[in-house]
Amino acid sequence: MPQEPVWPGLPAEPGQAVRARVEAGQDRLPLPGSGRTLPRSQALARVAAHDLLLAKLFEGHTDALANLAELAELEIPAARGTWATWCAEPPDARLHCSEPDADGCLRQTGRKAWCSGAAGVDHAVVSCWNPAGKPCLAAVALDQGGVRITVDGWQATGMAATRSVDVHFDQAHARAVGTPGSYVQRPGF
């Protein structure tokens, strides 16, 4: 029996529901640290009141947009599609990156754990470590040959529908988001 949609007119699968909210422009929230914390929190709370799984994925998408706007100074329309934010790091799953070239492009290698919604998003903002051992952020398209989304990883019963899995990167192309360490120094962190 198919699951009922959590929002009238939206698909029941959380990744599709996030995409529908994005296409409707409902992901344009005030930025963290902008003095509009209450409206941002209220928007996320409305999603959570209907479906916590959807809220987890939707918050990851809006966090990625905030990181891009604050650190990469990208216009939101340039960040099309659905996004995730993957910055949690167990000690055995670290993503490494090269130094960015003159255009801000870098290569990522390693395993990223706990990647919620990996199979249902287009891009991710991920934490990684540069050759000097400094923490960095990068934006990566997930539809490239250097990215492999697995079915392995976190098996959280209550959040199973988020499909939090491991993602392997093998010289995947990415774009630096901010400078090393800027992620934790930004006003909205």
Side-chain angles (χ1 to χ4, degrees):
M1 178 172 202
Q3 183 183 6
E4 288 297 314
V6 294
W7 291 86
L10 292 180
E13 197 278 313
Q16 293 174 348
V18 169
R19 187 172 303 280
R21 293 184 73 78
V22 169
E23 290 170 356
Q26 297 172 356
D27 59 337
R28 305 303 189 253
L29 304 182
L31 295 176
S34 68
R36 300 199 57 225
T37 301
L38 183 59
R40 182 179 180 85
S41 297
Q42 288 173 327
L44 294 170
R46 281 192 299 277
V47 177
H50 290 281
D51 189 315
L52 287 176
L53 301 174
L54 174 59
K56 178 168 180 41
L57 300 178
F58 187 67
E59 181 183 24
H61 170 81
T62 60
D63 285 350
L65 294 183
N67 284 318
L68 293 171
E70 292 174 347
L71 298 173
E73 300 175 358
L74 294 177
E75 291 295 320
I76 297 302
R80 294 182 185 211
T82 55
W83 287 77
T85 302
W86 301 328
C87 293
E89 294 183 342
D92 65 337
R94 260 197 169 175
L95 193 56
H96 299 278
C97 64
S98 66
E99 289 293 341
D101 64 18
D103 294 325
C105 294
L106 49 84
R107 299 288 187 137
Q108 296 180 312
T109 300
R111 176 173 65 96
K112 195 75 180 157
W114 307 324
C115 299
S116 295
V121 295
D122 303 307
H123 314 275
V125 170
V126 298
S127 59
C128 52
W129 297 84
N130 71 11
K134 294 183 179 178
C136 301
L137 279 186
V140 61
L142 301 176
D143 64 350
Q144 60 179 293
V147 176
R148 184 172 57 88
I149 299 169
T150 73
V151 294
D152 304 321
W154 188 37
Q155 302 298 319
T157 305
M159 296 296 256
T162 66
R163 296 181 181 101
S164 295
V165 297
D166 292 349
V167 177
H168 293 268
F169 296 82
D170 183 11
Q171 295 295 308
H173 294 270
R175 180 163 298 281
V177 176
T179 58
S182 62
Y183 169 63
V184 296
Q185 296 166 358
R186 73 192 209 287
F189 186 73

